[in-house]
Amino acid sequence: MKAYLFNQPGDAVSEPMPQRVLRGLASSGGAALAYALACCLGSQWGRLPNVGDYPSFWPAAAIALVAVLWRGSSALPGLLLGRLLFDALPEPLAGPMALGPGWASALQAVLATGQAGLGAWAIQRWVRHPMSLVEPGPILRLLALAGASSLLCGSYNLLMSEPPSLSPAWVWLWLTAVTGDLLGVLLLVPVLLLSLPADPSQPPRGARVAWLWLATTGGYLMSWAASAWVISLEHQQVTLRWEALQTQYSQALQAELSRHEQVLVSLASVLGQTRQIDPQSFAKAAQPLLSLAEGLYALSWSPVVPRAQRASFEAEQKRGDGRAQPITERGEHGLVTAASRDIHVPVQATEPLSREGGALGFDLYSDPLRQAAIHQAVLSRQLAATQRIRLVQDGGSALGMMVVMPVAWAPPRPLVAPGSQLSQLRGLASAVVHMDWLAAHVALATTRAAAPESSRTKLESPHVIDLQTVAFRLLDADAPEHEQTLWSHNWLRTAAQPPSEPGDWPLLGQRNLPPPHSTELLFAGRHYRLESQPLPDFWSGNSSLWPYLVFTAGLWMAVGISLILLLFTGYQQSLAQEVEERTVDLLQVQYSLQDAMGYVASKSDQLGFVLEQTPVGFLGFDETGRQLLGNQAMARMLDIGSLEETPNISVFISLLVQRLPGISLHRLFALGQPEPSHDAPQRQLNRVRLVNPNGQIKHITLVAMTFPVGPVRHLFTVVDLSSDVALESSKSEFLSLVAHEIRTPLTSVLGYAELLRMHAEQPVPQRQELAGAISAHARQIQGLLSKMLNLSELEVGGVDALKPQLQDLHTWCPKVLRQYTPPPGRDKPELLLGDDALHAMIDPRKLERALHELLSNAYAFSAPGQAVQVQLQRRRAPDGRPRLSLAVLDQGQGMDEAQLAQACDKFYRVDKSGEKPGCGLGLPLVKLITELHHGQLQLSPGPGGQGLVAAMVLPLSGPA
């Protein structure tokens, strides 16, 4: 996919590969960060609870689409990475919408990237480029295509998690699933596209962008504020319902406990009036009462049996198999025969018998907890309850509580002594109560009675509090702390509950939960405490969907306003653009005329500049001889202050008479006389000497031209030939030197060769001496020719003539000096090395040749016995960078300032006498080799002004 909005199709192809890679990495990284940040903002600031808990406003979808439209396919990996990065962030940063690392996160990242790629492809295909968003057609197509891609991917995401159906609930779920992406795309894509850097071909759009941002942010904030107001109202209603629920629940539970008390009191009263209590009479009395209190697990009758009556009691009680029923108590491995004690309170009858038959014969007085409740009931003659106990009926696995009521004899028997109150009773009526079932049943009944679930619609808030958002527990205040809890609902979730819960929207800040509530209850002489506390999801679980609808409706209004602004401002911009085009057409002629005038003026200025800067001096006069034009080159060559000193042709000719000695006045004035037979006749003086008042001599060529028509009738030009003359002189001197340097050894070679030919019979030593002389003079000729060829090769080839290598000069320099042979009778040069190693990229052969040239000059211009030194050291250039210096020092005659200034000129020789060999090419060759190594040849007097220091300063390479 090519970059769509701002890159031309050929840009990516013509860009070098490294830059394309860097641009792609930058695009991917920027897209990843922008997408992850947009996801965090949408999760934290664009979400309200809805049916599917989907994001209500998801700006990341718009960021992803714009990123692909702007940066092309290079942004797709960044979007994938950005979604994975968002899901991996901790919840305080990412918000509740982060999925965490895993397959779900990867699938969501692929869907989001696919949505952006699909939308960008569709927009590329059906919206004209460049996208100015001015005409209604492109605007509507952009929004339609972007919205369609969002709807398609949102629907696919929903289908993967929810099977489709035609029910209103599924349609409502689909709406909430696609709304977030759709609103994000429709609201943000146009304004983001217009906010990106504009194509130079498009008109300015600053005002449009400002209005669109104002509509977008204003609509978002108004939707936000309206939803916050609705949420605040709902929270007030929920708080009132919560307080009502606590009151109703505590009252209903207290009423249910009182009903249980009344049932047991009624049972005791009936039993007290029954002459003979047996299982049949007890069942007749208990069964009607069981239906009056649903929380009763069992009703029982337990007579008081003294030790003396135990045997007869056990004999009377029969099991189902006809055997006697012993009095039992709880042992280590279940029920066992009760130990003998003064008083036994065995269970004689119980209802319902089918469920409670296992308790028959159990001695209530054998258990300390039941014994304490029995003593309390005997002393108070009222109901008394145990704390939480294990029930015998279920084998000791179930928990409950037992309530006992004393049943006296009718008529009452007198008490013998205070300690014998229990023995004076007929028995105890008891009830087993499942308090946890009772509390849960009453709570559920309270919420159902407040408002049936079927009466609530999707848009309405609940008329009662959702029990899954609150916690309850019922405590026995008289029991030990670890035995107090009788029943709890969601209470374990309160352990990690924060002191306050974030509101359904961050605009609300931290909305505190309602405070916990506690109610005291009284049942069977014991004190109970009912505690309630809201859970962290209290607000969201008890709110309606109206805030979500208000929020999304506000955003839809913002989308509509933005669309209207887009169309209106686009129409205005289109009109302004048309007016501007017409204005441009009207002004085009004026601009063309101005351009033509400017072109003429520019060419005139260019011509004047060229004439002014040309080294050829010229001076023009009209038909009356008045000066019309000239340049400073003429003034410099004539050595006059300005051309105003030659106002006419007569003054100019007079000046030439003074400056050109040896040229007759008649010949000079003849230069200005026209010849009618030619259109532009020329007269010239070639290679004449021009002498300035200061004595400086120049060689010039003076050309005079006359024209029969035109503003310029006489034109004089002066060409300075001084450099050409100097070059010819140098060449002549060079040829003379070369001829001398070649002729002398060549004459010697011919002479020695002739001697060998004529005296072939000479002894071998003499012949070898003559051959050696011939060889020495031939090498001298070869060296001269080699130097000339080397100089020519370097001048023509330049840097390409070098073969650089990285060399350690601490190793290279001694090796070169060992191979150097000084003149006969002279010592080898002394090598002075620095402490540290020096490396440089050099051509070893070329630099060796340069060093040999410097050594040859040093030996040639120093007397025998004077030392010649080679110094290699590190030095610092004026720009602060390190350099190496390879210098040759001698103690010879040296050079003055004038000689130093010309020493590197070709063919220049310090010794004009010819006694010293050479042709003036040694130092130019050294300078050229040094400069090709990006270095510099520096010549300076030696220490104390004696001798010469010739230093080749080269850049360092490698270890510095």
Side-chain angles (χ1 to χ4, degrees):
M1 184 182 299
K2 297 179 181 178
Y4 174 64
L5 282 180
F6 308 106
N7 295 335
Q8 297 299 326
D11 292 346
V13 177
S14 61
E15 192 176 24
M17 178 60 70
Q19 296 184 11
R20 292 173 61 187
V21 173
L22 291 177
R23 182 185 294 274
L25 292 177
S27 300
S28 297
L33 293 179
Y35 189 76
L37 178 60
C39 288
C40 292
L41 293 177
S43 180
Q44 296 279 12
W45 299 85
R47 177 180 171 273
L48 278 180
N50 52 54
V51 174
D53 201 23
Y54 289 96
S56 308
F57 178 65
W58 196 243
I63 294 293
L65 180 58
V66 172
V68 179
L69 287 175
W70 186 25
R71 291 302 185 186
S73 58
S74 61
L76 294 177
L79 300 180
L80 190 68
L81 181 61
R83 176 65 199 207
L84 297 176
L85 174 63
F86 163 69
D87 287 330
L89 290 175
E91 186 173 354
L93 291 177
M97 297 306 301
L99 301 177
W103 286 107
S105 173
L107 180 59
Q108 192 62 40
V110 172
L111 286 175
T113 306
Q115 174 180 329
L118 177 64
W121 173 82
I123 292 172
Q124 279 184 315
R125 186 175 180 85
W126 285 290
V127 179
R128 187 179 69 251
H129 176 77
M131 189 190 309
S132 59
L133 298 182
V134 173
E135 301 175 357
I139 294 175
L140 295 177
R141 282 197 297 273
L142 169 67
L143 295 179
L145 293 172
S149 66
S150 175
L151 289 175
L152 181 62
C153 292
S155 301
Y156 180 74
N157 190 15
L158 176 63
L159 290 174
M160 293 186 62
S161 58
E162 296 289 339
S165 67
L166 298 178
S167 63
W170 196 89
V171 174
W172 181 259
L173 183 64
W174 177 78
L175 289 175
T176 58
V178 302
T179 298
D181 285 2
L182 184 61
L183 284 173
V185 167
L186 296 182
L187 189 60
L188 292 180
V189 163
V191 67
L192 288 175
L193 289 179
L194 291 177
S195 300
L196 293 174
D199 193 316
S201 63
Q202 298 181 7
R205 53 198 185 193
R208 296 188 72 196
V209 173
W211 279 109
L212 283 174
W213 274 117
L214 180 62
T216 301
T217 54
Y220 180 77
L221 292 177
M222 290 182 63
S223 304
W224 198 0
S227 300
W229 177 71
V230 174
I231 290 175
S232 179
L233 291 180
E234 285 205 342
H235 283 184
Q236 295 177 12
Q237 298 177 4
V238 171
T239 301
L240 294 176
R241 296 189 189 114
W242 167 239
E243 294 173 354
L245 174 64
Q246 296 176 95
T247 302
Q248 295 170 7
Y249 183 37
S250 60
Q251 291 176 356
L253 184 56
Q254 182 63 70
E256 191 66 27
L257 292 176
S258 298
R259 183 180 297 109
H260 284 65
E261 287 181 340
Q262 294 174 5
V263 168
L264 191 54
V265 171
S266 300
L267 178 62
S269 177
V270 172
L271 294 178
Q273 297 174 9
T274 302
R275 181 179 297 272
Q276 181 67 31
I277 302 177
D278 53 19
Q280 292 75 20
S281 60
F282 177 78
K284 183 178 180 180
Q287 288 178 356
L289 297 176
L290 283 172
S291 61
L292 299 178
E294 297 181 1
L296 286 176
Y297 190 72
L299 293 175
S300 302
W301 162 249
S302 302
V304 177
V305 179
R307 186 197 302 267
Q309 299 176 7
R310 174 178 177 174
S312 60
F313 175 81
E314 290 179 342
E316 293 176 0
Q317 304 304 312
K318 302 294 184 181
R319 295 180 178 177
D321 55 1
R323 291 184 299 170
Q325 173 67 54
I327 299 177
T328 60
E329 64 182 13
R330 192 186 304 276
E332 293 183 1
H333 304 288
L335 297 179
V336 297
T337 302
S340 178
R341 56 177 61 89
D342 293 337
I343 296 296
H344 296 280
V345 186
V347 178
Q348 182 183 12
T350 181
E351 285 294 333
L353 183 60
S354 59
R355 185 174 60 191
E356 303 299 319
L360 294 177
F362 179 73
D363 187 1
L364 302 183
Y365 206 65
S366 64
D367 180 58
L369 297 178
R370 293 175 174 84
Q371 188 180 109
I374 292 172
H375 286 169
Q376 182 181 352
V378 171
L379 292 176
S380 63
R381 298 290 180 173
Q382 299 292 330
L383 292 172
T386 66
Q387 66 182 62
R388 188 178 62 178
I389 60 174
R390 292 189 178 276
L391 301 179
V392 179
Q393 294 89 328
D394 292 334
S397 60
L399 298 177
M401 59 182 296
M402 175 175 285
V403 184
V404 297
M405 180 68 184
V407 178
W409 292 96
R413 298 179 180 180
L415 295 176
V416 178
S420 61
Q421 290 179 349
L422 179 58
S423 63
Q424 301 301 317
L425 290 179
R426 187 177 182 181
L428 296 171
S430 60
V432 177
V433 180
H434 271 184
M435 188 62 77
D436 53 353
W437 182 89
L438 179 63
H441 177 73
V442 173
L444 184 59
T446 303
T447 56
R448 287 179 176 175
E453 182 68 22
S454 59
S455 65
R456 179 187 174 192
T457 65
K458 291 291 183 183
L459 299 181
E460 294 175 342
S461 59
H463 296 286
V464 295
I465 300 299
D466 187 354
L467 290 182
Q468 298 304 318
T469 64
V470 294
F472 291 96
R473 68 174 177 176
L474 183 62
L475 303 177
D476 185 352
D478 295 337
E481 183 176 357
H482 65 281
E483 296 287 342
Q484 285 186 351
T485 303
L486 299 178
W487 167 76
S488 66
H489 171 72
N490 289 336
W491 198 261
L492 293 179
R493 294 174 56 188
T494 63
Q497 174 178 326
S500 61
E501 170 201 18
D504 293 328
W505 219 0
L507 180 64
L508 302 177
Q510 295 288 332
R511 177 167 292 276
N512 294 331
L513 294 171
H517 185 266
S518 178
T519 303
E520 297 293 334
L521 303 176
L522 184 62
F523 175 60
R526 295 184 71 87
H527 296 84
Y528 298 90
R529 187 169 60 251
L530 177 63
E531 295 181 352
S532 58
Q533 183 173 336
L535 295 176
D537 55 352
F538 177 78
W539 294 123
S540 59
N542 294 284
S543 299
S544 70
L545 297 179
W546 275 112
Y548 167 76
L549 290 181
V550 170
F551 178 57
T552 54
L555 291 181
W556 278 113
M557 291 180 60
V559 170
I561 294 174
S562 299
L563 177 59
I564 294 173
L565 281 175
L566 268 175
L567 296 175
F568 178 71
T569 56
Y571 177 72
Q572 283 188 327
Q573 188 170 343
S574 178
L575 288 179
Q577 186 174 358
E578 186 175 356
V579 170
E580 184 178 356
E581 291 175 356
R582 296 296 180 269
T583 304
V584 170
D585 292 339
L586 292 176
L587 296 177
Q588 188 173 6
V589 176
Q590 179 180 352
Y591 292 153
S592 299
L593 292 175
Q594 292 178 353
D595 290 343
M597 294 174 63
Y599 177 78
V600 172
S602 174
K603 292 301 179 181
S604 177
D605 293 341
Q606 293 175 9
L607 179 60
F609 177 80
V610 171
L611 294 177
E612 187 66 28
Q613 298 300 321
T614 181
V616 177
F618 66 89
L619 201 61
F621 303 91
D622 60 8
E623 59 181 350
T624 63
R626 183 171 58 87
Q627 183 191 128
L628 291 180
L629 52 87
N631 65 349
Q632 291 298 319
M634 178 67 82
R636 287 193 299 271
M637 280 187 281
L638 296 179
D639 196 17
I640 58 179
S642 66
L643 295 179
E644 295 178 356
E645 298 182 14
T646 57
N648 53 59
I649 193 171
S650 299
V651 176
F652 175 67
I653 296 297
S654 300
L655 185 62
L656 289 180
V657 171
Q658 301 174 13
R659 299 288 192 268
L660 301 176
I663 304 300
S664 64
L665 183 64
H666 173 74
R667 186 178 178 185
L668 289 175
F669 273 100
L671 295 175
Q673 301 300 322
E675 293 184 2
S677 59
H678 297 86
D679 295 335
Q682 297 186 13
R683 297 184 181 87
Q684 64 182 21
L685 301 175
N686 292 321
R687 293 181 175 271
V688 297
R689 292 191 310 145
L690 186 145
V691 182
N692 291 328
N694 58 7
Q696 182 181 8
I697 299 176
K698 297 181 179 179
H699 295 81
I700 65 171
T701 293
L702 177 63
V703 178
M705 292 179 286
T706 58
F707 304 94
V709 294
V712 178
R713 296 297 180 91
H714 303 278
L715 181 65
F716 295 88
T717 62
V718 177
V719 180
D720 189 357
L721 302 178
S722 300
S723 60
D724 295 342
V725 173
L727 180 61
E728 291 177 358
S729 175
S730 298
K731 288 182 178 179
S732 299
E733 183 179 357
F734 168 73
L735 292 176
S736 176
L737 289 173
V738 170
H740 176 268
E741 293 296 328
I742 294 178
R743 182 176 63 239
T744 301
L746 186 60
T747 302
S748 300
V749 169
L750 292 174
Y752 287 127
E754 187 65 24
L755 286 176
L756 282 174
R757 187 181 65 81
M758 295 176 63
H759 304 283
E761 68 282 357
Q762 289 183 353
V764 173
Q766 295 180 358
R767 283 185 295 171
Q768 288 180 347
E769 181 181 358
L770 292 175
I774 292 173
S775 176
H777 287 86
R779 282 196 298 270
Q780 183 178 355
I781 297 173
Q782 182 186 21
L784 176 62
L785 295 177
S786 176
K787 186 182 299 184
M788 296 173 60
L789 291 175
N790 286 338
L791 183 61
S792 175
E793 176 189 357
L794 293 176
E795 286 180 341
V796 173
V799 178
D800 295 335
L802 299 182
K803 298 179 179 179
Q805 302 174 9
L806 182 62
Q807 295 283 341
D808 180 4
L809 270 72
H810 270 233
T811 305
W812 176 84
C813 196
K815 178 180 177 181
V816 172
L817 294 184
R818 284 195 301 269
Q819 298 175 356
Y820 177 73
T821 303
R826 301 296 296 271
D827 296 332
K828 278 185 173 290
E830 179 184 0
L831 178 60
L832 305 177
L833 294 177
D835 295 334
D836 52 350
L838 299 174
H839 296 77
M841 292 293 296
I842 63 171
D843 185 329
R845 293 184 56 193
K846 298 295 189 297
L847 196 63
E848 180 180 355
R849 179 59 186 269
L851 182 59
H852 283 183
E853 290 293 339
L854 293 180
L855 289 172
S856 298
N857 286 346
Y859 280 110
F861 289 93
S862 63
Q866 293 180 335
V868 175
Q869 296 176 330
V870 176
Q871 185 179 51
L872 178 63
Q873 63 179 355
R874 182 193 301 268
R875 61 188 298 182
R876 193 164 295 277
D879 58 2
R881 291 183 293 180
R883 296 286 191 273
L884 69 87
S885 172
L886 180 60
V888 176
L889 298 80
D890 65 61
Q891 299 176 1
Q893 66 186 35
M895 299 183 187
D896 56 23
E897 293 184 0
Q899 292 172 335
L900 288 174
Q902 304 179 59
C904 294
D905 294 343
K906 293 180 182 178
F907 318 123
Y908 176 76
R909 302 180 76 248
V910 176
D911 180 25
K912 303 293 186 180
S913 64
E915 297 179 357
K916 304 291 183 182
C919 56
L921 294 178
L923 286 179
L925 178 61
V926 174
K927 180 183 179 184
L928 181 57
I929 292 175
T930 305
E931 290 176 348
L932 290 178
H933 282 82
H934 309 290
Q936 183 181 7
L937 176 63
Q938 297 180 355
L939 303 177
S940 61
Q946 182 180 2
L948 180 69
V949 178
M952 294 183 289
V953 181
L954 304 176
L956 288 171
S957 300

